[in-house]
Amino acid sequence: NRSRKSEIKTFIKQVEEAVNNKSKDTAIVKFREAQSKIMQGVSKGVIKLNTASRKISRLSYKIKNMENS
Protein backbone atom coordinates (compact mmCIF):
# COMPACT_ATOMS: atom_id res chain seq x y z
CA ASN A 1 0.00 0.00 0.00
CA ARG A 2 2.77 2.41 0.86
CA SER A 3 4.55 1.87 -2.44
CA ARG A 4 1.32 2.32 -4.39
CA LYS A 5 0.57 5.60 -2.58
CA SER A 6 4.11 6.77 -3.28
CA GLU A 7 3.72 5.88 -6.95
CA ILE A 8 0.50 7.91 -7.16
CA LYS A 9 2.18 10.92 -5.56
CA THR A 10 5.08 10.64 -8.01
CA PHE A 11 2.74 10.70 -10.99
CA ILE A 12 0.93 13.73 -9.57
CA LYS A 13 4.25 15.53 -9.11
CA GLN A 14 5.19 14.78 -12.73
CA VAL A 15 1.97 16.39 -13.96
CA GLU A 16 2.49 19.46 -11.77
CA GLU A 17 6.08 19.76 -12.96
CA ALA A 18 4.95 19.66 -16.61
CA VAL A 19 2.35 22.36 -15.85
CA ASN A 20 5.00 24.54 -14.21
CA ASN A 21 7.27 24.12 -17.24
CA LYS A 22 4.33 25.16 -19.45
CA SER A 23 4.64 22.08 -21.67
CA LYS A 24 1.01 21.34 -22.49
CA ASP A 25 1.55 18.11 -24.45
CA THR A 26 3.70 16.53 -21.75
CA ALA A 27 1.22 17.60 -19.07
CA ILE A 28 -1.67 15.93 -20.91
CA VAL A 29 0.25 12.68 -21.39
CA LYS A 30 1.38 12.63 -17.76
CA PHE A 31 -2.18 13.48 -16.63
CA ARG A 32 -3.57 10.42 -18.41
CA GLU A 33 -0.96 8.22 -16.75
CA ALA A 34 -1.62 9.77 -13.34
CA GLN A 35 -5.38 9.40 -13.75
CA SER A 36 -4.93 5.71 -14.50
CA LYS A 37 -2.67 5.16 -11.48
CA ILE A 38 -5.03 7.07 -9.17
CA MET A 39 -8.00 4.96 -10.24
CA GLN A 40 -5.94 1.79 -9.80
CA GLY A 41 -5.32 2.96 -6.24
CA VAL A 42 -9.07 3.24 -5.74
CA SER A 43 -9.72 -0.25 -7.07
CA LYS A 44 -7.04 -1.68 -4.77
CA GLY A 45 -8.54 0.16 -1.78
CA VAL A 46 -5.52 2.36 -1.14
CA ILE A 47 -7.39 5.66 -1.51
CA LYS A 48 -11.08 6.49 -1.48
CA LEU A 49 -13.05 7.38 -4.60
CA ASN A 50 -13.83 10.94 -3.49
CA THR A 51 -10.17 11.61 -2.75
CA ALA A 52 -9.18 10.27 -6.16
CA SER A 53 -11.84 12.35 -7.89
CA ARG A 54 -10.63 15.46 -6.07
CA LYS A 55 -7.01 14.87 -7.09
CA ILE A 56 -7.97 14.25 -10.73
CA SER A 57 -10.22 17.31 -10.77
CA ARG A 58 -7.49 19.58 -9.39
CA LEU A 59 -4.94 18.32 -11.90
CA SER A 60 -7.29 18.80 -14.85
CA TYR A 61 -8.11 22.31 -13.59
CA LYS A 62 -4.41 23.20 -13.54
CA ILE A 63 -3.97 21.93 -17.10
CA LYS A 64 -7.03 23.85 -18.28
CA ASN A 65 -5.78 27.09 -16.70
CA MET A 66 -2.38 26.53 -18.30
CA GLU A 67 -4.05 26.55 -21.74
CA ASN A 68 -5.69 29.91 -21.04
CA SER A 69 -2.55 31.72 -19.92
Side-chain angles (χ1 to χ4, degrees), residues 15-16 19 57-67:
V15 174
E16 290 175 344
V19 169
S57 176
R58 288 177 180 170
L59 288 175
S60 69
Y61 179 77
K62 287 179 182 182
I63 292 173
K64 230 173 237 180
N65 278 349
M66 182 181 69
E67 293 172 1

Side-chain angles (χ1 to χ4, degrees), residues 11-68:
F11 276 94
I12 291 172
K13 286 176 191 172
Q14 288 174 355
V15 174
E16 290 175 344
E17 186 179 321
V19 169
N20 290 338
N21 293 338
K22 306 231 186 281
S23 71
K24 177 183 165 190
D25 296 332
T26 308
I28 291 172
V29 171
K30 294 291 183 183
F31 172 71
R32 288 189 186 136
E33 293 174 4
Q35 189 174 12
S36 173
K37 288 294 179 186
I38 291 169
M39 293 314 288
Q40 281 178 10
V42 171
S43 68
K44 299 293 183 187
V46 177
I47 58 175
K48 293 187 177 181
L49 181 60
N50 286 356
T51 305
S53 297
R54 186 177 65 243
K55 289 178 187 294
I56 291 170
S57 176
R58 288 177 180 170
L59 288 175
S60 69
Y61 179 77
K62 287 179 182 182
I63 292 173
K64 230 173 237 180
N65 278 349
M66 182 181 69
E67 293 172 1
N68 295 337

